[in-house]
Amino acid sequence: MALEHAILVSLLEKPGSGYELASRFDRSIGRFWTATHQQIYRVLRRMEADGWIAAEDVVQEGRPDKRVYSAAGPGREALSVWLRAPVEPETVRHDLAVKIRAAAFDDPAGRAGLVAEVERHRVVHAALLDRYLAGERRDFPDPAVLDAQQSLQHVVLRGGIEYERMTVAWLDDVLATLHRIG
Amino acid sequence: MALEHAILVSLLEKPGSGYELASRFDRSIGRFWTATHQQIYRVLRRMEADGWIAAEDVVQEGRPDKRVYSAAGPGREALSVWLRAPVEPETVRHDLAVKIRAAAFDDPAGRAGLVAEVERHRVVHAALLDRYLAGERRDFPDPAVLDAQQSLQHVVLRGGIEYERMTVAWLDDVLATLHRIG
DNA sequence: CACGTCATGTAATTCGTTACATGATTTA
DNA sequence: TAAATCATGTAACGAATTACATGACGTG
């Protein structure tokens, strides 16, 4: 389990409320870890009870009040312990690959539907690639002058970029294959 | 949920027992879908109750008897319905990326531990790449003469190969970055 | 006035993981 | 004789998903 640790990293980079964390998990962090607000609120309560994070109630005008969390000492320690323990390479769940192999057992209409589906995925991944590249130009215009934290953020972003590049190329390969077999 | 569908595809490609399915999920199918035998047995019972698959008891000598499952009509139909419904692009869970960003908040000893961890992952992914390439040479020696089912299996395998290639290159990038920042 | 954003939650169900359990046969 | 392979399961727990719920404010 690493949701706790992903939240800790995010709060170390910048304190925030459950709502703010949820939107970060929808954007930047979502590249390598997804979580819904329900999960996040549940884990935040547990982490606060364990003393990993500290909460501060912030009264706001014009919008609802919020609880802003930040990483506490025991949280940093727990993160450090986790960093030193090995994690297993990720387990993959790739619906589209299942569908591609399933297409062998469906009729031409089903294959046509799959082409549309693959094209849809291609659009999504190409858009993600563009967004990551734009983010790279915006946040890392001069890669020579980055501090340690920025260098690490940048190399993770490069991983996302290469993943999307590869995926778009592979989806083109899939489309060509589907076209070839009719 | 697509474990049902992954099992259906596997049974359509070749009928088999829960045990055999579990070992397929450990090898070929595990490239894009993982499942343990406990999950598989649970889902097989549900699928049989729903009439998606048919079971046949096979008495064996010298080894335990087994129940061999094969896809039934309603299962093929369910698969066809699923093929026509859109699936969302996968949700990623990438512990290593969390660790890399976490390294910004740990001391040099923690960073050294991370280098070892990244090197370990690199070995695993390089070995997977070799295994996929060997499988490709063995199963698809002449890509010009494949039928539809084989073409689809091959394009999924190429996806695995490109993923591992990209991952190994990225892990080298990560190692260089960790080295640069000390 | 409807919709989107900010903000936080509960409840029910399903899914995934870990541990435990049995028992025969083959191989080292 | 110990370990690995074949074969199938139960039980308990924790995690993830989905649906439901509330309410104020700002924008078009």
Side-chain angles (χ1 to χ4, degrees):
Chain A
M1 235 306 282
L3 178 53
E4 278 96 333
H5 306 108
I7 288 176
L8 274 171
V9 171
S10 190
L11 290 178
L12 280 164
E13 289 177 353
K14 194 173 192 306
S17 68
Y19 185 86
E20 282 160 355
L21 281 168
S23 67
R24 288 184 214 171
F25 273 83
D26 252 14
R27 291 182 281 107
S28 55
I29 311 169
R31 182 155 51 253
F32 50 88
W33 204 275
T34 55
T36 61
H37 78 274
Q38 292 91 337
Q39 276 176 279
I40 290 167
Y41 283 116
R42 180 162 15 111
V43 171
L44 281 174
R45 256 175 282 136
R46 188 169 64 214
M47 289 169 79
E48 197 193 351
D50 292 345
W52 288 22
I53 55 177
E56 194 195 352
D57 286 303
V58 174
V59 180
Q60 297 188 118
E61 309 225 333
R63 30 177 83 178
D65 300 346
K66 60 179 177 179
R67 293 183 67 99
V68 173
Y69 294 95
S70 48
R76 286 185 85 115
E77 249 176 75
L79 192 66
S80 183
V81 168
W82 176 71
L83 248 187
R84 279 161 178 78
V87 292
E88 288 318 300
E90 331 64 60
T91 60
V92 185
R93 291 287 148 90
H94 212 309
D95 298 74
L96 200 58
V98 179
K99 281 199 170 191
I100 291 164
R101 278 173 72 151
F105 305 98
D106 205 358
D107 55 39
R111 301 235 188 116
L114 183 58
V115 168
E117 176 87 332
V118 173
E119 279 167 350
R120 201 171 63 83
H121 281 247
R122 196 198 180 282
V123 168
V124 170
H125 285 284
L128 265 178
L129 176 57
D130 281 351
R131 224 179 71 195
Y132 292 169
L133 287 171
E136 189 184 33
R137 281 191 300 273
R138 188 186 61 239
D139 297 335
F140 309 104
D142 186 357
V145 297
L146 303 178
D147 63 24
Q149 184 180 338
Q150 291 172 319
S151 295
L152 293 169
Q153 286 178 351
H154 191 198
V155 78
V156 171
L157 177 58
R158 286 201 297 278
I161 288 170
E162 292 310 316
Y163 176 79
E164 297 305 333
R165 239 197 265 282
M166 179 224 76
T167 300
V168 169
W170 177 64
L171 291 174
D172 283 336
D173 187 7
V174 172
L175 286 170
T177 303
L178 285 169
H179 191 255
R180 211 178 313 122
I181 66 175
Chain B
M1 235 309 282
L3 178 53
E4 279 96 333
H5 305 110
I7 288 175
L8 275 171
V9 171
S10 191
L11 290 179
L12 281 164
E13 290 178 351
K14 193 173 193 305
S17 68
Y19 185 85
E20 282 160 356
L21 281 168
S23 66
R24 287 184 214 170
F25 273 83
D26 251 14
R27 290 182 281 105
S28 54
I29 311 168
R31 182 156 51 252
F32 50 87
W33 206 274
T34 55
T36 60
H37 79 276
Q38 292 91 338
Q39 275 176 279
I40 290 168
Y41 283 118
R42 196 190 326 153
V43 172
L44 281 174
R45 257 174 282 138
R46 188 169 64 215
M47 290 170 77
E48 196 193 351
D50 292 345
W52 287 22
I53 55 177
E56 195 196 351
D57 286 303
V58 174
V59 180
Q60 298 189 119
E61 308 226 333
R63 30 177 85 178
D65 299 346
K66 59 180 178 179
R67 294 185 65 108
V68 173
Y69 294 94
S70 46
R76 285 184 86 115
E77 249 176 75
L79 191 66
S80 184
V81 168
W82 176 72
L83 249 186
R84 279 160 179 79
V87 291
E88 288 318 301
E90 330 67 58
T91 61
V92 185
R93 292 286 149 89
H94 211 308
D95 298 75
L96 200 57
V98 178
K99 282 199 171 191
I100 290 164
R101 279 173 72 152
F105 305 99
D106 204 359
D107 56 41
R111 302 236 187 115
L114 183 58
V115 168
E117 176 87 330
V118 174
E119 280 167 348
R120 201 171 63 84
H121 280 246
R122 195 197 181 282
V123 168
V124 170
H125 285 282
L128 265 177
L129 176 57
D130 281 352
R131 222 179 73 196
Y132 293 169
L133 287 170
E136 189 184 32
R137 280 191 300 272
R138 187 186 61 240
D139 297 335
F140 309 104
D142 187 357
V145 296
L146 303 178
D147 63 23
Q149 185 180 337
Q150 290 172 320
S151 294
L152 293 169
Q153 287 178 351
H154 191 196
V155 79
V156 171
L157 177 58
R158 286 200 297 278
I161 288 169
E162 291 310 316
Y163 177 78
E164 298 304 332
R165 238 197 265 283
M166 179 225 78
T167 300
V168 169
W170 177 64
L171 292 174
D172 283 337
D173 188 8
V174 172
L175 287 170
T177 302
L178 286 169
H179 192 253
R180 209 178 314 121
I181 66 176

